[in-house]
Amino acid sequence: MITKVIFSGFGGQGVLMMGTSLAHSAMNQGFHVTYLPAYGAEMRGGTANCTVAVADEEIASPVASEPDYLIVMNSPSLFSFQTKVSARGTIFLNSSIISERPSRRDVAVYAVPCGEIAQDLGNTRVANVIMMGAFIKKSGIVKADTYLKSLETIMGSRKKGVAEINRKAFAAGFDFIKD
Amino acid sequence: MVKIVSQRPKSLKDKIFHYCPGCGHSIVHRIMCEVIDEMDIRGITIGVPPAGCAVLAYNYFDVDMIEAPHGRGPAMASGIKRALPDRIVFSYQGDGDLAAIGIAESFHAANRGENITVIFINNAVYGMTGGQMAPTTMLNQRTTTSPDGRKQSLDGYPVKVSEIFSQLPGTTYIERCMVNSPAGVNKTKKAIRKAFQCQRDGLGFSLVEILSPCPTNWKMNTIDSCKWIDDVMSNVFPPGVFKDDIKARATEAAV
Amino acid sequence: MNKFLMSGNFIIGEAAIRAGCRFYAGYPITPQNELTEYMAEHMRRAEGGVFLQSESEVAAINMIAGASAAGARVMTSSSSPGISLKQEGISSMAACELPGVIVNIMRGGPGLGNIRPSQGDYFQATRGGGHGDYRTMVFAPATCQELADLTMDAFDYADKYRTPVMILADGMMGQMMEPVIFKKPKPRQYPEKFMLRGAGDGKSKFIRGLLLDPIDSEEHNWKLARKYEVIVENETRHEEHLCDDADLAIVAYGTAARIAKGAIKRLQDSGMKVGLFRPITLWPFPEMKLRALSEKVKRFLVFEMSTGQMLDDVRLALQGYAQIDFHGRPGGAVPTPAELANVVARVYSKKAQTVY
Ligand SMILES: Cc1ncc(C[n+]2csc(CCOP(=O)(O)OP(=O)(O)O)c2C)c(N)n1
Ligand code: SF4
């Protein structure tokens, strides 16, 4: 089994961190994993994206030509990547700033109002962690516990309270998705 | 009648710059094109952009251009000029391009007194590759390859290109300017014009060094970047005319 | 053992420092900047570690040559255009028999090309690259774990054969993160007699590549050639994947080999028996191993992110005993496993024909 995920958004939305945190937690749960950031001209200013592959076997290509999951944090990302998603794949979109909806009919779509939830939590910078909560609940790729522990490791315990707000944000996203 | 106060110079293509907001390259491109228009030399100008953020300059300058390998612009410009002595030939270079990998080519083009113009963008870092230490990085300035700040004991001193090159008898006109204020931009434009005129009159090597903001790699906003040039950079790299032998050369030529 | 999730560029840096590399010189170039930056950050913190940002790649290779002569474990890194500039120095190191590791994180070429992953420097790497009759050992890792292992090994080979050794990877390998475990490095074995340390009260030494007398020079070239023969004899490495009952084998290295594995999986699902022959050393090329495989497998498809360079070595190895097809994507284009699978499927169902 192999699962490929593309994360995309503006530079500064913490999109690469979403990818690395998933990759770390997948590694800590004993999976094979690859993480590939987009590289090149797109870096300056514009959009950022990365691809994570998680599998219980050796991973051949770290590129996702047909990702199982697409997580988009802004509209341009939705338009760039929605056509790639595999049939019966899943799109998570940040509905706080994406007013459009995917044109695809063969994929599941979850609209997560990351911005509003973050505002309710009093910290607009955790929109990405909220999205991760929703994504991990739905995909079940890694355990919530493992994810939170990995997140803490990579964020470092530099600032107290960071772990706390991340936990809250993750839980809010997690609970937003009803089974 | 409506008076047009500002419009796109004819020799600047109608394209959106790929440079970061607040970047000095955009300003310098624009004023260079204004000078090219004013001197009416678009049709006889050939430019050599560098490997650096300005590598795509041919997307903006509507003059003939050829890409050079990193640092080799002045050698290529020398070749073009010697083959076509009546054209206006310039190389456009960053501090890494000119003062690190290409110092030999720059130095020797200057020393030969090549009748070319070098436009030298000094932004104290390697812009394109992501903010590494440049030859012009100042002492204690942090970059991605001087994470603890540039130390003279490990990395030496910032290279003062204008001062050094003005010592070479081959050079004719060398000025250092800044593009962090409207007045600075005007002054820079005058210097560029003077440099091109020097070349047009066949008077030899000209170089305009321009202190130029790189907000992205300085990790500052545009305003702070401009201020930093005033407060910090211009102390190490004072603006001014370092060499002006234009009159002397002209007299020599007349004799 | 501790597992780390790191990008290829960082892994090379960390593996080098763990392997006892204490001298690094480099010049920024994408897509290997992170390696230079890693060294800037960590080398000076390692005991006795020297990090030097050189004024050019030409300077960097000669800095490591000097430090190598002085007895340090040395490395430099760059990407394609910068590696071109290092060739004079690599030739000189080969001539002077100086150990050192050179990393090339290849990008699209020729000229400035672009910063996307590519494999266009195969000829440059495996044919010596610079002038003169010499070879460099070339390792082509395909996973981050291999990057770590081979980087460490590269230092040992460089010492063992007193020769420059190259790690040839591409922008994808440099940027990609995978879990990695750093093995325990072997202690360095490099006799002091090869180092210049100042003569003291003893006899002075010199190291040189200039041999004006053609007889001496010829002898020196033959001496190097004998060394290269030993390397060819003993040091080839490769991987065979699903080759045992394959009807067709893809020959690919590095990132291309990963893509090939993805393609093979798809082909398997549709019942095709396709294997992979993956050279890990590009020079010495695992020629005999590939020829041996051609006793079982009669059809090969060479797949490279170039217009076809390793293809020459495959032809030389197979010497007309098997059918060879080629698929390539040069200039920084990275094909998908699906694309390659389509190409292979077409070749697979084609009747065996011209052998070249
Ligand atoms: C031989 C070679 N080495 C390295 C590079 C990578 N490279 C491209 S631009 C550049 C430096 C850019 O810095 P600078 O000259 O200061 O110009 P800026 O981008 O700041 O305008 C480097 C090192 C290259 N293209 N070729
Ligand atoms: S990185 Fe710096 S020099 Fe390059 S375009 Fe951006 S601001 Fe300009």
Side-chain angles (χ1 to χ4, degrees), chain A residues 36-103:
Chain A
L36 186 69
Y39 203 68
E42 304 133 80
M43 291 272 286
R44 198 152 290 153
T47 62
N49 72 73
C50 63
T51 303
V52 177
V54 179
D56 50 14
E57 59 190 353
E58 192 185 348
I59 297 167
S61 169
V63 179
S65 39
E66 292 182 349
D68 305 280
Y69 294 93
L70 170 66
I71 288 112
V72 285
M73 299 300 281
N74 67 357
S75 302
S77 301
L78 176 62
F79 295 117
S80 323
F81 290 110
Q82 63 162 327
T83 51
K84 288 183 124 196
V85 180
S86 70
R88 287 188 298 282
T90 309
I91 299 178
F92 286 82
L93 58 85
N94 173 9
S95 59
S96 303
I97 54 170
I98 307 178
S99 49
E100 304 86 351
R101 290 296 172 265
S103 50

Side-chain angles (χ1 to χ4, degrees), chain A residues 44, chain B residues 18-26 52-54 121 123 125-131 212-218:
Chain A
R44 198 152 290 153
Chain B
H18 74 284
Y19 301 111
C20 311
C23 174
H25 281 301
S26 325
C53 282
I121 305 294
N123 58 16
V125 286
Y126 286 77
M128 177 174 230
T129 41
S212 169
C214 175
T216 301
N217 287 307
W218 295 355

Side-chain angles (χ1 to χ4, degrees), chain B residues 25 51-53 70 94-97 101 123 125-129, chain C residues 27-29 57 81-82 85 107 112:
Chain B
H25 281 301
C53 282
H70 191 26
D95 36 41
D97 195 84
I101 194 166
N123 58 16
V125 286
Y126 286 77
M128 177 174 230
T129 41
Chain C
Y27 184 81
I29 185 165
E57 291 86 350
L85 288 180
R107 62 186 230 181
L112 285 183

